Amino acid sequence: MTNSHNMTGIHDAPASTTRTATGLLAYLFAGLYFGVVLVKSEATSWYRIQEMFRFESFHMFGLIGSAVVTGMISTTLLRRFGTRSRDGQIIAVTPKAKGWWRYILGGLTFGVGWGLAGVCPGPIFVLLGAGVWPMLIVLAFALLGTYLYGVLKDRLPH
Amino acid sequence: MTELLDLLRSPWPWYVGGPLIGLTVSLLLWLGNKSFGISSNLRHACAILLPDAAKPDFFRYDWRKERWNLMFAGGLILGGIAAGVLFANPESTRLSAAGAQAIQALGIQVRPGLVPVELTDLTHFGVWVLLAFSGLLVGFGTRYGGGCTSGHAITGLSTLQGPSLIATVSFFVGGILSANFLLPLFLAVIR
């Protein structure tokens, strides 16, 4: 089961190693697709985020709204027609844990950060690709924030 | 040729970009039953980077099973290079008149590019503080709230999950407060 078997090539057939690699490559391409869409739709534009939070344009609301509707329709269709995933599993969405506090307090915290530098996690990576190097500071501190949550987790209301 | 280049460089309207964003949810479900979300990568990165002795329990799990998500983030960087460098829009974001006015009132010029130079000019110490503070809140808040815009607002809402609605409303309340009150205050101090 461990990866070391792949290294020695004793247990796993080479085909399965290749399959894992091409499987992972598919996600790289999915990311590339999403990254291009985020830039071209201007969701990574600090200006657009500011415009959205001031309710001065429909652009971002149209973007998020039509994304949600498309996601809703396409996932419903996938399940309705019993489509299997590429590796033959039944399509299933993992439900989010129930709760209030973590979603309200965590959501507010993230929202305040989002409104300042205008970036949510996706755009941090996209902007780094686009050569906006100061995003490295945002990324470093986002990692620190994630670490802090890991440390404080049990003392926070969830 | 130049016309094709112009086309590749020009931004897309919301009704093209939005559906393409939404399709990512079912694309990842089809690729391997993956729940679309980007902020988990911050957790995986911590799990990889932290030395075993100093690891809180939250980071003790097999991150290798989540390699797909790290690959996805790698793809985002490539997407940034493709759309933000090779085919970068040479023009400024076409904001609404009110939007452009509000941004100028903040003391920021609307220029070509995705992030204004005023917020990426690292010769100002205040810019460091702004970026660091924003990053800290994004990292902490997305883990506490269990997701970001992609995980809750896009995936969660489109699969009709109650918790994601609470989270998305909270994102917006936080964002509205910070963009309208905290950011002007910040900019007045740092500039």
Side-chain angles (χ1 to χ4, degrees):
Chain A
M1 288 302 278
T2 60
N3 285 314
S4 56
H5 293 310
N6 290 340
M7 305 270 284
T8 53
I10 297 169
H11 292 281
D12 284 314
S16 80
T17 317
T18 320
R19 218 190 126 133
T20 318
T22 53
L24 281 174
L25 216 55
Y27 295 107
L28 187 77
F29 283 112
L32 169 66
Y33 161 82
F34 192 64
V36 169
V37 174
L38 282 186
V39 175
K40 285 292 156 190
S41 64
E42 300 184 316
T44 50
S45 164
W46 180 89
Y47 302 99
R48 284 284 187 209
I49 304 295
Q50 293 301 321
E51 205 185 30
M52 164 177 78
F53 284 140
R54 290 184 171 74
F55 299 98
E56 280 154 347
S57 162
F58 182 70
H59 183 90
M60 286 299 295
F61 296 100
L63 202 67
I64 297 176
S66 60
V68 170
V69 172
T70 311
M72 217 180 271
I73 296 171
S74 59
T75 45
T76 309
L77 286 177
L78 273 182
R79 288 151 122 183
R80 174 73 54 86
F81 291 107
T83 311
R84 299 269 175 148
S85 67
R86 208 171 38 126
D87 48 357
Q89 301 168 43
I90 294 166
I91 303 268
V93 179
T94 324
K96 314 262 180 205
K98 296 275 171 249
W100 283 91
W101 286 115
R102 64 174 304 181
Y103 297 114
I104 294 172
L105 298 175
L108 281 173
T109 312
F110 162 55
V112 171
W114 190 15
L116 285 177
V119 287
C120 38
I124 293 180
F125 295 104
V126 176
L127 289 170
L128 277 176
V132 187
W133 302 116
M135 285 299 137
L136 282 173
I137 302 171
V138 181
L139 179 63
F141 278 86
L143 290 174
L144 181 65
T146 307
Y147 171 71
L148 282 179
Y149 172 74
V151 173
L152 299 173
K153 190 175 173 280
D154 296 333
R155 294 186 214 164
L156 299 167
H158 277 78
Chain B
M1 189 61 196
T2 43
E3 276 169 27
L4 178 70
L5 211 59
D6 282 348
L7 190 72
L8 288 171
R9 283 172 173 165
S10 53
W12 301 340
W14 64 263
Y15 48 84
V16 174
L20 292 178
I21 290 174
L23 282 179
T24 316
V25 178
S26 33
L27 173 67
L28 290 178
L29 282 173
W30 176 73
L31 276 178
N33 245 337
K34 306 298 186 206
S35 257
F36 177 41
I38 298 161
S39 58
S40 329
N41 280 311
L42 301 172
R43 185 185 182 190
H44 306 327
C46 284
I48 295 168
L49 293 171
L50 287 170
D52 235 13
K55 236 181 208 181
D57 282 344
F58 185 63
F59 302 107
R60 290 180 193 276
Y61 62 95
D62 186 10
W63 57 266
R64 283 177 187 80
K65 283 187 184 151
E66 309 296 331
R67 272 181 305 188
W68 73 271
N69 208 351
L70 293 159
M71 289 297 276
F72 189 85
L76 289 180
I77 297 178
L78 296 181
I81 297 173
V85 180
L86 300 178
F87 300 110
N89 179 10
E91 285 170 36
S92 306
T93 309
R94 279 202 194 129
L95 299 164
S96 68
Q101 208 174 7
I103 281 160
Q104 270 157 11
L106 287 172
I108 288 175
Q109 296 302 313
V110 185
R111 295 193 191 89
L114 298 163
V115 187
V117 284
E118 288 86 346
L119 295 184
T120 46
D121 179 5
L122 296 184
T123 57
H124 286 276
F125 178 67
V127 169
W128 287 77
V129 178
L130 178 95
L131 294 176
F133 185 56
S134 172
L136 194 72
L137 296 179
V138 167
F140 187 86
T142 49
R143 268 319 89 220
Y144 191 6
C148 56
T149 331
S150 56
H152 279 310
I154 308 292
T155 311
L157 289 188
S158 67
T159 51
L160 307 174
Q161 310 214 31
S164 291
L165 183 63
I166 308 170
T168 305
V169 170
S170 307
F171 296 166
F172 272 85
V173 172
I176 290 162
L177 291 176
S178 86
N180 289 282
F181 303 106
L182 196 58
L183 183 70
L185 213 71
F186 231 114
L187 289 174
V189 174
I190 70 172
R191 292 178 60 79

